[in-house]
Amino acid sequence: MNMPATKIEVETATPAASAAPVVAMTPKRPPRSEAYARMARETAVRVIPPLVVIALLTLVWELVCRRAGSALPPPSKVFKDTKELILDPFFDHGGIDKGLFWHLSASLQRVALGYSLSAIAGIALGVLVGQSVWAMRGLDPLFQVLRTIPPLAWLPLSLAAFRDGQPSAIFVIFITSIWPIIINTAVGIRNIPQDYRNVAAVVQLNPLEFFSKIMIPAAAPYIFTGLRIGIGLSWLAIVAAEMLIGGVGIGFFIWDAWNSSHISEIILALFYVGIVGFVLDRLIAGLGKFVTRGTATS
Amino acid sequence: MTAYLKLDHIDKIFTRGAATTEVLKDINLTIEKGQYVSIIGHSGCGKSTLLNIIAGLTGATTGGVLLENREVNSPGPDRAVVFQNHSLLPWLTVYENVKLGVDKVFSKTKTRAERDAWVMHNLNLVQMAHARDKRPNEISGGMKQRVGIARALAMEPKVLLLDEPFGALDALTRAHLQDSVMALHQKLGNTILMITHDVDEAVLLSDRIVMMTNGPSARIGEVLEVPLARPRKRLELATNTTYLKCRQRVLEFLYERHRFVEAA
């Protein structure tokens, strides 16, 4: 009977005695450099593999396109041709002869406006459809048909309605990105556990409080899934729409470069489009993570 | 006997399409102020439905619930519920979860500082004040249930409804929490109605045990008074003859006269 008890005592006593000074020491000095070293290592593990792959791909591209008579320029030529555009993105010679920064910013402004509208309208409609059975029966079939229409198919119609390029582009962004927002929000609302509704009922929250305190936080993970798909779609749509409506914007910049046979500029623009799209996606994902930090089901 | 909470001829019939199921039949029960009453029965007998009717979350088909001689048929903080799976809102901290109810119930009668103090007072009652800034997924199941109890208590309910509050907990945590609830009942004198399927729990905690027959058309089969003095001590009761007799009565009811038949 006595044996296990004494054994435990001995076991716990020794590490505690030897560990005490170590515990007191560690938080003071060594960790800082150690932490930096670990951080550097972790960053290296993440950054080096893609860099290697990019270097290899660039090399292959260089080798393939270097031959005389190649239709596409090799990376070295792309860099040489577009050096001015890369180094000075802020020039403005009037009209559409502007630096890439201005083209991107014009596109981003359109996306910001169209996407904000679709986020507001999408969440509102999603809540309606998720909450009301009759709204769902009435609207859902309509949404399922409308959401399959390709973004650009809306453009002629919106040009006819608005008689101007700018609002038409914004409308195309809106109509493209709204469907995933509506559908995901509705699913999120429909999936609010009955328990949360019961809690709200017992506490007697009024509809407005229920909306802000229960519904939106409970559905937030779904809503952000919709918002993230939406931002991707709207960035897809803006480039295509701008090619057709003209004016300042990254889409038209690409189209213009094609018309003037500046293939290098197209490649540079594509690079930027990709980076911006990636950043937008990360931005919404990060926002979602921040907003829903405590919402993991428990 | 003065009726504080009165269940008056409650029937509940669920209708799905053409099929109707009578879940509860002619439930009559009066509960005095400050009493601790347990409702026990096999699973599927409609205990939870009955609790939902009292809470106002489900309507009775016929009959009604009277609280202090006034009919209640919609949910409200005067009949606060402690749910089986705690139902804390995961995006709010422990403090905010309790505060949600407090802010609603005392919005006019208490100042902001008073409400804050009241939330902390109730968290202290269940010994959860130390976790005020934690989120529900950062605390254990027993702690969540404590917070659930604090949230219900903080609304100063006339009747506290417990829906199998200890069902999802391990045995040790359960015993600990039962003692806490007993101590709270002793201290605050709440009227408590508890749903349970645990015989020991029912006998230990209750003044009266309401035994329900099997569904469909479940009725109240028997009501047993538990004449044990309070405060009750778990260890002392283990050999107490009254305790054992009460326990025996409930067991006989559940396992002899109203044995649970699968898919009956």
Side-chain angles (χ1 to χ4, degrees):
Chain A
M1 274 306 279
N2 254 338
M3 267 310 283
T6 44
K7 199 175 172 192
I8 288 165
E9 215 174 298
V10 170
E11 266 175 8
T12 49
T14 33
S18 63
V22 180
V23 170
M25 288 292 287
T26 36
K28 281 189 181 159
R29 269 199 108 202
R32 187 159 288 182
S33 58
E34 244 174 60
Y36 282 137
R38 193 186 315 134
M39 233 197 293
R41 222 175 305 137
E42 274 168 14
T43 322
V45 166
R46 277 204 209 162
V47 171
I48 289 176
L51 284 182
V52 169
V53 171
I54 289 170
L56 282 175
L57 285 177
T58 316
L59 188 71
V60 170
W61 175 13
E62 180 75 40
L63 290 176
V64 169
C65 297
R66 211 168 177 178
R67 294 168 294 123
S70 162
L72 295 175
S76 56
K77 186 166 186 299
V78 169
F79 183 72
K80 209 164 65 192
D81 289 350
T82 59
K83 211 164 150 191
E84 282 165 38
L85 284 170
I86 296 170
L87 292 180
D88 182 12
F90 299 109
F91 71 86
D92 186 352
H93 299 307
I96 58 163
D97 190 9
K98 290 179 174 34
L100 274 170
F101 171 81
W102 301 111
H103 286 289
L104 282 170
S105 114
S107 300
L108 280 172
Q109 274 172 29
R110 292 189 184 111
V111 168
L113 198 57
Y115 179 69
S116 306
L117 289 175
S118 83
I120 295 166
I123 292 174
L125 277 170
V127 168
L128 178 72
V129 172
Q131 189 69 356
S132 149
V133 176
W134 282 106
M136 188 189 75
R137 285 181 191 159
L139 291 171
D140 195 56
L142 201 66
F143 292 163
Q144 297 301 341
V145 172
L146 289 180
R147 79 188 174 93
T148 63
I149 298 176
L152 281 190
W154 290 100
L155 190 62
L157 188 68
S158 58
L159 277 171
F162 295 110
R163 295 169 189 284
D164 187 12
Q166 183 73 359
S168 304
I170 291 165
F171 175 76
V172 169
I173 300 293
F174 172 82
I175 206 76
T176 309
S177 56
I178 197 168
W179 310 115
I181 301 177
I182 294 177
I183 290 166
N184 279 284
T185 305
V187 171
I189 299 290
R190 236 171 284 149
N191 282 352
I192 295 176
Q194 186 60 37
D195 294 338
Y196 298 169
R197 294 180 187 273
N198 285 349
V199 168
V202 169
V203 177
Q204 285 184 331
L205 295 180
N206 63 39
L208 205 67
E209 287 167 324
F210 180 70
F211 176 76
S212 65
K213 290 186 176 164
I214 307 279
M215 219 183 239
I216 292 299
Y222 291 89
I223 294 177
F224 273 98
T225 306
L227 287 175
R228 213 174 142 188
I229 300 171
I231 194 79
L233 287 180
S234 55
W235 191 240
L236 289 182
I238 188 65
V239 173
E242 281 176 349
M243 283 187 179
L244 295 179
I245 60 165
V248 180
I250 194 68
F252 188 68
F253 176 86
I254 294 172
W255 193 244
D256 195 39
W258 159 247
N259 282 334
S260 4
S261 302
H262 293 149
I263 308 300
S264 297
E265 287 181 12
I266 298 178
I267 292 170
L268 178 71
L270 289 188
F271 180 72
Y272 275 123
V273 167
I275 293 289
V276 170
F278 175 74
V279 169
L280 287 176
D281 182 64
R282 292 280 101 194
L283 216 64
I284 300 294
L287 186 68
K289 218 172 180 180
F290 173 73
V291 170
T292 63
R293 65 203 181 288
T295 320
T297 45
S298 52
Chain B
M1 193 157 105
T2 51
Y4 188 61
L5 178 71
K6 189 169 158 71
L7 311 187
D8 196 12
H9 295 92
I10 289 179
D11 291 352
K12 178 70 186 176
I13 297 167
F14 280 120
T15 315
R16 174 174 284 174
T20 61
T21 326
E22 188 174 46
V23 181
L24 296 169
K25 173 112 182 118
D26 201 27
I27 303 286
N28 287 294
L29 185 67
T30 53
I31 295 173
E32 288 171 56
K33 190 169 182 170
Q35 255 195 346
Y36 197 125
V37 176
S38 292
I39 297 179
I40 197 165
H42 291 290
S43 65
C45 76
K47 312 186 288 281
S48 285
T49 307
L50 182 58
L51 185 115
N52 281 343
I53 290 169
I54 299 168
L57 296 169
T58 319
T61 308
T62 56
V65 180
L66 296 158
L67 181 61
E68 289 185 311
N69 291 320
R70 295 247 293 275
E71 183 171 12
V72 284
N73 48 21
S74 64
D78 54 346
R79 283 151 292 132
V81 186
V82 176
F83 297 95
Q84 179 175 8
N85 51 358
H86 65 79
S87 300
L88 299 179
L89 305 175
W91 54 89
L92 299 180
T93 63
V94 162
Y95 174 84
E96 289 165 338
N97 262 294
V98 179
K99 190 142 192 292
L100 184 72
V102 171
D103 277 349
K104 247 345 239 183
V105 177
F106 301 108
S107 60
K108 294 196 179 72
T109 51
K110 277 185 162 71
T111 66
R112 181 178 276 273
E114 280 170 341
R115 291 201 297 261
D116 172 71
W118 179 243
V119 171
M120 288 319 290
H121 170 75
N122 281 282
L123 282 176
N124 270 317
L125 279 179
V126 296
Q127 291 129 43
M128 283 303 295
H130 61 91
R132 57 168 290 175
D133 293 323
K134 291 230 164 70
R135 282 173 204 282
N137 55 7
E138 297 167 340
I139 59 179
S140 70
M143 286 168 140
K144 282 179 205 159
Q145 204 51 281
R146 280 174 188 277
V147 178
I149 293 170
R151 174 173 64 186
L153 282 176
M155 291 186 249
E156 279 196 331
K158 289 176 177 158
V159 180
L160 185 60
L161 302 172
L162 308 179
D163 187 3
E164 296 188 22
F166 315 119
L169 304 174
D170 65 90
L172 290 176
T173 312
R174 187 185 305 171
H176 197 55
L177 212 51
Q178 285 165 352
D179 290 341
S180 294
V181 168
M182 238 187 323
L184 284 172
H185 179 232
Q186 191 78 20
K187 187 171 174 184
L188 305 174
N190 303 82
T191 310
I192 302 182
L193 184 71
M194 178 176 78
I195 303 288
T196 184
H197 49 228
D198 182 330
V199 177
D200 289 296
E201 178 174 292
V203 179
L204 176 68
L205 294 173
S206 327
D207 298 309
R208 281 160 75 211
I209 301 175
V210 176
M211 292 171 256
M212 292 188 63
T213 64
N214 284 329
S217 303
R219 292 168 293 105
I220 292 179
E222 197 178 323
V223 179
L224 177 73
E225 300 273 342
V226 183
L228 288 167
R230 289 177 189 273
R232 297 173 182 170
K233 296 256 163 45
R234 182 184 301 276
L235 285 174
E236 291 166 18
L237 287 179
T239 51
N240 183 311
T241 43
T242 320
Y243 176 83
L244 292 174
K245 228 182 266 169
C246 290
R247 193 167 173 273
Q248 186 66 24
R249 277 286 288 280
V250 181
L251 285 173
E252 273 169 15
F253 179 89
L254 288 178
Y255 298 107
E256 269 182 30
R257 279 182 284 153
H258 295 278
R259 184 199 293 275
F260 181 60
V261 189
E262 204 71 51

